[in-house]
Amino acid sequence: MNKPLVGALLSVLLLGAGVAPAAASTATSPDEAQVRAKAVTFAGTVALSNCSGSVVRAPSSQSSAPALVLSNGHCLESGFPGPGEVVLNKTSTRSFTLLNAAGSGVGTLRASKIAYGTMTDTDVSLYQLTRTYAQIESSYGIKALELDAAHPVKGTAITVASGYWKRTYSCAVDGFAYRLKEGAWTWKDSVRYTSACQTIGGTSGSPVIDNATGKVVAVNNTGNEDGQQCTDNNPCEVDESGTVTVRKGINYAQQTYGIVPCIGTGNQIDLNRSGCALPKP
């Protein structure tokens, strides 16, 4: 995983304060230059105590509904969910720092519950907040990011926006891993970045934003740090035939279009809705 707070702080201690928030790496190829054509801001992103996240809505979400915060399953305050474990409608009072377009904290949002969380098939958490989208926009002038209901496309220009570090990473969708295995966990149809997105600890849970539409297409979650095969912090790709590929230094995200069918009336997570394929408890 792109390690939460502990890993992020360790990186700072080992590499020096210069690892702290900075501009994204400068791209050199024509394709990567095109990636940066449309700027993505921090508006709607949040900083957790140990990770990044964002206030998100489904295309059908009403402004009067309690808002949702998207992050990773491995960022839950209760620790990593085990393989096959699903957290559903668990009380939480976790707080989130809401950022504006410039990356400045403008207020604190608070959860009422963990609406959903898992590290099985995907690596996602959804917190339901005590405020509605309308209340957040009225107080801070910030709108939620919309979840794209469609599968992302190879070659799409994307930005990973980390609320924890107040740092963005610009690259493109390089392709998709049929299965991504890391330690005890397996994720399906994961997004693989081109090499320009060198995400670090603390970027876990960051929204992956389509530069052209501004919609969230994935949630950042891991990368192969040391070139090891299928170990913690060293995910490996496994294709349909079982062939294993290791890509040292390459980072990954979990697609979010599959969350959209699971969001029902009042932004409640309903795993029995038509089209919802998220793992059930």
Side-chain angles (χ1 to χ4, degrees), residues 152-267:
V153 177
K154 181 178 179 178
T156 298
I158 55 174
T159 297
V160 182
S162 171
Y164 181 86
W165 286 115
K166 302 177 178 64
R167 177 176 179 176
T168 60
Y169 302 80
S170 295
C171 59
V173 175
D174 185 56
F176 305 95
Y178 173 71
R179 296 289 183 267
L180 193 67
K181 295 181 64 67
E182 179 174 342
W185 296 275
T186 300
W187 303 307
K188 297 179 178 179
D189 199 20
S190 303
V191 174
R192 180 176 61 247
Y193 305 144
T194 54
S195 60
C197 279
Q198 290 295 306
T199 51
I200 60 174
T203 64
S204 289
S206 299
V208 180
I209 300 169
D210 183 324
N211 290 0
T213 66
K215 296 181 180 181
V216 176
V217 296
V219 57
N220 179 69
N221 81 308
T222 194
N224 189 292
E225 297 181 2
D226 307 311
Q228 296 178 20
Q229 181 174 301
C230 313
T231 62
D232 289 349
N233 305 314
N234 290 282
C236 64
E237 298 184 23
V238 183
D239 68 15
E240 294 90 335
S241 65
T243 301
V244 175
T245 301
V246 173
R247 303 178 192 267
K248 181 179 179 181
I250 294 298
N251 295 286
Y252 300 88
Q254 301 308 306
Q255 298 184 47
T256 50
Y257 78 97
I259 296 172
V260 173
C262 307
I263 299 176
T265 304
N267 264 5

Side-chain angles (χ1 to χ4, degrees), residues 137-155:
E137 186 173 357
S138 176
S139 295
Y140 307 111
I142 295 174
K143 295 183 178 181
L145 299 174
E146 184 177 325
L147 295 171
D148 197 326
H151 191 291
V153 177
K154 181 178 179 178

Side-chain angles (χ1 to χ4, degrees), residues 3-281:
K3 296 181 289 296
L5 177 61
V6 172
L9 292 180
L10 180 60
S11 296
V12 172
L13 291 172
L14 291 175
L15 300 178
V19 170
S25 301
T26 301
T28 56
S29 73
D31 287 344
E32 289 176 344
Q34 185 179 2
V35 163
R36 302 199 309 273
K38 184 172 182 179
V40 170
T41 74
F42 293 100
T45 65
V46 300
L48 286 66
S49 58
N50 61 346
C51 285
S52 299
S54 57
V55 181
V56 297
R57 65 187 304 155
S60 62
S61 293
Q62 299 297 309
S63 60
S64 58
L68 297 173
V69 162
L70 169 71
S71 190
N72 284 147
H74 78 259
C75 293
L76 290 172
E77 64 266 41
S78 53
F80 292 9
E85 182 180 356
V86 172
V87 179
L88 191 65
N89 295 325
K90 181 179 179 180
T91 300
S92 174
T93 58
R94 194 168 193 182
S95 61
F96 313 88
T97 301
L98 179 67
L99 305 185
N100 63 15
S104 299
V106 295
T108 299
L109 304 177
R110 192 166 297 279
S112 61
K113 66 180 181 180
I114 302 169
Y116 186 85
T118 193
M119 288 178 66
T120 297
D121 294 350
T122 185
D123 184 5
V124 66
S125 61
L126 288 165
Y127 287 85
Q128 187 176 99
L129 302 183
T130 58
R131 298 195 202 184
T132 66
Y133 295 116
Q135 289 171 333
I136 293 171
E137 186 173 357
S138 176
S139 295
Y140 307 111
I142 295 174
K143 295 183 178 181
L145 299 174
E146 184 177 325
L147 295 171
D148 197 326
H151 191 291
V153 177
K154 181 178 179 178
T156 298
I158 55 174
T159 297
V160 182
S162 171
Y164 181 86
W165 286 115
K166 302 177 178 64
R167 177 176 179 176
T168 60
Y169 302 80
S170 295
C171 59
V173 175
D174 185 56
F176 305 95
Y178 173 71
R179 296 289 183 267
L180 193 67
K181 295 181 64 67
E182 179 174 342
W185 296 275
T186 300
W187 303 307
K188 297 179 178 179
D189 199 20
S190 303
V191 174
R192 180 176 61 247
Y193 305 144
T194 54
S195 60
C197 279
Q198 290 295 306
T199 51
I200 60 174
T203 64
S204 289
S206 299
V208 180
I209 300 169
D210 183 324
N211 290 0
T213 66
K215 296 181 180 181
V216 176
V217 296
V219 57
N220 179 69
N221 81 308
T222 194
N224 189 292
E225 297 181 2
D226 307 311
Q228 296 178 20
Q229 181 174 301
C230 313
T231 62
D232 289 349
N233 305 314
N234 290 282
C236 64
E237 298 184 23
V238 183
D239 68 15
E240 294 90 335
S241 65
T243 301
V244 175
T245 301
V246 173
R247 303 178 192 267
K248 181 179 179 181
I250 294 298
N251 295 286
Y252 300 88
Q254 301 308 306
Q255 298 184 47
T256 50
Y257 78 97
I259 296 172
V260 173
C262 307
I263 299 176
T265 304
N267 264 5
Q268 299 301 308
I269 303 301
D270 182 356
L271 301 180
N272 294 314
R273 291 190 86 226
S274 176
C276 178
L278 287 176
K280 298 180 180 180

